[in-house]
Amino acid sequence: FKVSESSTFVPQSFQTFDLNYADGTHLRGFSGVDQVYMGDYKATAPFGVITDCNSPDFNGVDGILGFGLPKMGSNLPTPVLFAMTDAENKDTNAADLKRKFSFFSTDDAAEVQLGGYDPDTVSGTMWYTPALSKQDFIVGVTSLKFGNQFDKAVELLQFKSASESKYGAPSIMDSGTSCLVIPADTMGGQLSNIPWNDFSRNWGRGKSFWLKIGDKTWEIPFKQWYLQDTQQTCVQPAPSGMQGLLVGDVFFREYVVEFDMTEDRPVIGIAPLSKKYKPVRVNTLSSFMIDQAPKTKLRLVKGFEKMYPAEHTEVLTQVDRIPIVNQYGTQ
């Protein structure tokens, strides 16, 4: 996006932002409004114009497409999916689009799906849990094991008390993070061990991670967290002061994750990615009969994790599949 080449851009230079990310990246800029096109949808929507960045990782990158939730009291623009689906926005064709999106990636491609998910992308049942926060996609990981076999794997989250184990480590499901980021301290005394140290001591080829969210366990196999092309481990220690985990693309290469923002508290859905599915190469808008999240059960879950399978109540849902192209071949 180039401000000077748009005849419809309206700057809002009075609204500035100053962002710090967990990896140390620092962004500054100001807000503006213009026509935003995404897949088969378009709308007049606000967004941030980055003017300063301290990270070389952003060299050659156009920007960040954030699908997060609005933050109370924030000076950031309204997130694009909320702006496009705002019923009061008179200049949008996405007002009827369900405020949901799904994401997954492969070794060389990725796809975001607006409005829900394509059933052909999953292998098995979509399981749902309410987020622990109304303002972020946080789940509680109650166990993180690492080893060759599940029953002999090392527990990396050794909680000191049963109550802390019940709620788990706050973990952000973040498609914008490449790797799995695990605690490098005791999480303020909640743990009797340091997960990063135990992982480093037990590192080995062929081993898997097992994340437990509520009563469901999800495996991250070796081929997803170890990058063969670069011979690098895609597991990182959390920066100082960060309490919990970041679950990045090492997870999204094995699972389809749906982010449902249609209610007051977001709902996270997880299902195994079908290895037969090929990501689309062009925008593809279709309608599917999709099983629904059990919203009544999920509303009863308070303060800790529990996952429920989708209900066999199929509803015709319009989903826009949008390819994600990475010319650099990186994560």
Side-chain angles (χ1 to χ4, degrees):
F1 176 77
K2 296 181 180 179
V3 170
S4 60
E5 295 183 9
S6 174
S7 61
T8 53
F9 177 72
V10 179
Q12 296 178 324
S13 53
F14 61 89
Q15 187 176 9
T16 60
F17 58 86
D18 197 322
L19 281 174
N20 290 284
Y21 288 86
D23 64 356
T25 300
H26 186 197
L27 303 177
R28 291 192 184 94
F30 65 93
S31 297
V33 176
D34 207 341
Q35 292 289 312
V36 175
Y37 293 78
M38 187 162 56
D40 290 273
Y41 296 100
K42 66 180 181 66
T44 297
F47 54 89
V49 179
I50 299 171
T51 57
D52 182 65
C53 176
N54 69 336
S55 173
D57 292 341
F58 280 74
N59 293 343
V61 174
D62 294 322
I64 301 171
L65 178 58
F67 276 9
L69 295 139
K71 300 291 192 294
M72 295 294 292
S74 171
N75 61 344
L76 292 172
T78 301
V80 64
L81 196 55
F82 278 77
M84 296 184 81
T85 55
D86 186 351
E88 296 183 4
N89 188 341
K90 304 303 182 185
D91 189 15
T92 179
N93 67 349
D96 294 329
L97 177 69
K98 291 185 181 298
R99 200 169 278 172
K100 302 179 183 180
F101 74 95
S102 299
F103 180 80
F104 69 90
S105 63
T106 66
D107 290 338
D108 56 7
E111 187 174 304
V112 63
Q113 301 179 348
L114 305 182
Y117 69 96
D118 177 352
D120 286 343
T121 60
V122 304
S123 174
T125 302
M126 181 73 75
W127 286 75
Y128 291 96
T129 188
L132 296 180
S133 168
K134 292 183 178 181
Q135 295 188 353
D136 220 329
F137 302 125
I138 297 176
V139 298
V141 172
T142 55
S143 172
L144 178 64
K145 290 190 172 185
F146 180 67
N148 288 309
Q149 298 174 248
F150 176 76
D151 56 351
K152 296 181 180 179
V154 175
E155 177 58 65
L156 299 182
L157 293 177
Q158 298 176 22
F159 291 99
K160 285 185 177 180
S161 71
S163 61
E164 289 167 339
S165 176
K166 177 182 178 182
Y167 291 100
S171 306
I172 301 176
M173 307 298 292
D174 186 8
S175 61
T177 295
S178 296
C179 300
L180 176 65
V181 180
I182 63 177
D185 54 26
T186 62
M187 284 177 49
Q190 296 181 59
L191 304 175
S192 61
N193 70 316
I194 296 177
W196 174 255
N197 292 354
D198 288 351
F199 163 70
S200 299
R201 278 194 295 268
N202 290 279
W203 193 101
R205 289 180 174 274
K207 293 186 177 182
S208 291
F209 287 92
W210 286 272
L211 281 81
K212 189 174 184 181
I213 302 172
D215 51 5
K216 287 289 293 181
T217 300
W218 308 94
E219 181 182 1
I220 303 176
F222 175 76
K223 64 180 180 180
Q224 305 299 16
W225 64 265
Y226 186 77
L227 309 178
Q228 291 288 353
D229 289 348
T230 57
Q231 299 288 295
Q232 290 181 314
T233 298
C234 204
V235 183
Q236 299 172 343
S240 177
M242 177 181 158
Q243 300 290 303
L245 289 76
L246 284 176
V247 183
D249 288 342
V250 296
F251 191 86
F252 291 86
R253 288 202 295 273
E254 195 70 16
Y255 302 98
V256 177
V257 181
E258 181 184 65
F259 301 85
D260 183 342
M261 300 170 284
T262 57
E263 299 207 358
D264 187 43
R265 189 160 55 137
V267 170
I268 309 296
I270 303 173
L273 172 63
S274 171
K275 303 305 182 181
K276 297 179 181 179
Y277 183 83
K278 302 298 182 184
V280 295
R281 294 183 178 274
V282 295
N283 302 334
T284 308
L285 183 63
S286 306
S287 293
F288 304 99
M289 297 298 292
I290 304 177
D291 288 338
Q292 300 300 294
K295 294 292 182 69
T296 301
K297 292 179 181 178
L298 294 172
R299 291 189 192 103
L300 300 176
V301 179
K302 303 293 183 183
F304 61 92
E305 288 298 341
K306 187 169 180 62
M307 299 200 82
Y308 289 101
E311 295 178 334
H312 295 299
T313 306
E314 293 188 331
V315 174
L316 187 65
T317 306
Q318 197 169 61
V319 177
D320 196 12
R321 292 167 288 169
I322 305 174
I324 296 175
V325 180
N326 184 350
Q327 296 175 342
Y328 294 95
T330 59
Q331 289 290 300

